[in-house]
Amino acid sequence: MIGRLNLIALVLGLAVGLLIAHYGTPQLVDLVKAMKLVGDLWLNLLKMTLVPLIFSLVAASTVAALSQMDQGDLVRRTLVAMAALLVLAAAWGGLSGQLLLMSGLIPSGLLAMPAAAVAHAAPVVGDLVKGLVPSNIVAAASDGALASVSIFALLFGLFVARTQGTRPDRVLPNLLDHMAQAMLAMAEWILKAAPLAVLCFSLNLAMTMGAHVASFILIDLTCIIVVLTGVIALAYGVAVVFGGQPLARFAIASLPAQEVGLGTQSSLAALPLMIEAATQRLNLPDVTSRLVLSLSVALFRYTSAASAIAGAMVMAHLYGQPVSLAQIALAIPTAILVSLASASIPGMATVYAGRSMMFSIFGLPLDLIPVLVAVETLPDIFKTVGNIVADLALAAVVGRGAVSSTEG
């Protein structure tokens, strides 16, 4: 519902903003400019939650993942295969983003970098690497260095699992989990006002950029869909090459679940049909399929990393910012980490967290993220389909391994 309201607010804001830019009185123009303050306040509220939200989620997810690794060989193999697919998807995001920039089809410098963001533009390679391990994590957090916060949270979670995981009271793991739930609740509350913020931002964008505002939205939307189409094709390839499934049989078996996903934009809603496809049409072990697919729906957001990386690269090019290999190399593991940590975040909050993280790595301002998220309805369809295909491909890979180990 919020997603549709965001889209309505975007279209309304762009249309009204263009009309005011051409026919509005000076008083009306000043009023619209003043409305940006509302959007800025909302964005500051969202930024305020990002650091504690990402820290608590990454740390809590690390502890939970390590505890799950002790629950049996099947779970371990599922998590390892899941991580491998996420690496593949994120690498595709970096590669496809670079190919899009090299194509010459995306104009450079279409957007003007805000003066306040120039000082935080992407650093050189040495500073980028050194910034991953800051001497003062509090200062890094205050500067919005989300990658550094994620690395610290990962290390913190590792040592919490090592020192507290076997304790019967589990004080720190429970505290991290409660903190993550509280920050999620706060983020959900802030996101309820997203349509108002989108309206304020789109009004001002239309007034300052005119008809060009549609250009960068269309470019971002098209590039994200191209990247998602490629990452879906990769999932089919994984099912064939590593899952041992004939392409035609796998494609036909996954269609009913994809149809439900298209209608509901939810992998969870398609879970019963995914289990049926795996066990009855792909002839995978029943117990293995149920466990793998249940874990996948809960933890596995295959398409998120690829779209977040490529989208940030495209936006950097639109801002006229150079994209370095070091930034791409940093973006890939960071996107994987955020994808795993944000598995329990509602869809819209996931997009905000993922895009904010990637924008910070590429030295971009966050001001346009509400507008970009407002048009996520169409890419979200591709993401749902991609996640369903990847879930079944993962079940095929793990199921094939389970059959091989049983026969051995």
Side-chain angles (χ1 to χ4, degrees), residues 6-163:
N6 281 339
L7 188 57
I8 293 172
L10 176 65
V11 174
L12 180 63
L14 293 179
V16 174
L18 288 173
L19 288 174
I20 293 175
H22 286 87
Y23 307 109
T25 63
Q27 293 81 5
L28 192 56
V29 171
D30 291 339
L31 176 62
V32 171
K33 289 181 179 178
M35 286 180 64
K36 188 173 183 295
L37 176 63
V38 177
D40 289 336
L41 289 173
W42 178 88
L43 188 60
N44 285 343
L45 277 174
L46 187 64
K47 289 179 183 178
M48 183 175 65
T49 67
L50 281 177
V51 169
L53 175 63
I54 289 173
F55 172 80
S56 58
L57 281 174
V58 171
S61 299
T62 301
V63 175
L66 290 174
S67 64
Q68 285 181 336
M69 292 288 280
D70 296 330
Q71 293 181 10
D73 182 61
L74 181 59
V75 174
R76 282 195 297 271
R77 284 191 285 113
T78 301
L79 292 176
V80 170
M82 195 181 294
L85 279 177
L86 284 175
V87 171
L88 179 65
W92 167 252
L95 175 62
S96 58
Q98 189 65 33
L99 291 175
L100 287 169
L101 300 189
M102 293 170 59
S103 69
L105 299 176
I106 303 173
S108 177
L110 179 66
L111 300 173
M113 180 70 78
V118 173
H120 295 87
V124 297
V125 175
D127 292 337
L128 186 67
V129 175
K130 187 168 64 175
L132 294 178
V133 188
S135 59
N136 188 335
I137 190 62
V138 176
S142 66
D143 289 337
L146 298 179
S148 302
V149 172
S150 296
I151 290 175
F152 177 72
L154 175 64
L155 293 173
F156 187 77
L158 286 171
F159 283 94
V160 166
R162 181 177 179 180
T163 60

Side-chain angles (χ1 to χ4, degrees), residues 156-204:
F156 187 77
L158 286 171
F159 283 94
V160 166
R162 181 177 179 180
T163 60
Q164 298 284 315
T166 57
R167 287 173 59 94
D169 52 4
R170 291 179 56 85
V171 175
L172 271 178
N174 290 336
L175 178 62
L176 286 172
D177 186 61
H178 290 321
M179 181 179 176
Q181 294 303 318
M183 295 312 303
L184 277 174
M186 184 181 294
E188 289 179 18
W189 175 75
I190 294 171
L191 288 172
K192 288 181 180 179
L196 177 60
V198 169
L199 178 65
C200 295
F201 282 120
S202 57
L203 278 169
N204 281 273

Side-chain angles (χ1 to χ4, degrees), residues 171-250:
V171 175
L172 271 178
N174 290 336
L175 178 62
L176 286 172
D177 186 61
H178 290 321
M179 181 179 176
Q181 294 303 318
M183 295 312 303
L184 277 174
M186 184 181 294
E188 289 179 18
W189 175 75
I190 294 171
L191 288 172
K192 288 181 180 179
L196 177 60
V198 169
L199 178 65
C200 295
F201 282 120
S202 57
L203 278 169
N204 281 273
L205 274 176
M207 287 182 55
T208 55
M209 293 185 63
H212 290 297
V213 69
S215 301
F216 90 86
I217 293 177
L218 184 60
I219 290 170
D220 176 81
L221 194 61
T222 303
C223 290
I224 292 295
I225 291 175
V226 168
V227 172
L228 289 173
T229 302
V231 86
I232 292 171
L234 278 177
Y236 277 104
V238 167
V240 173
V241 176
F242 299 102
Q245 296 292 329
L247 178 59
R249 183 173 73 173
F250 182 82

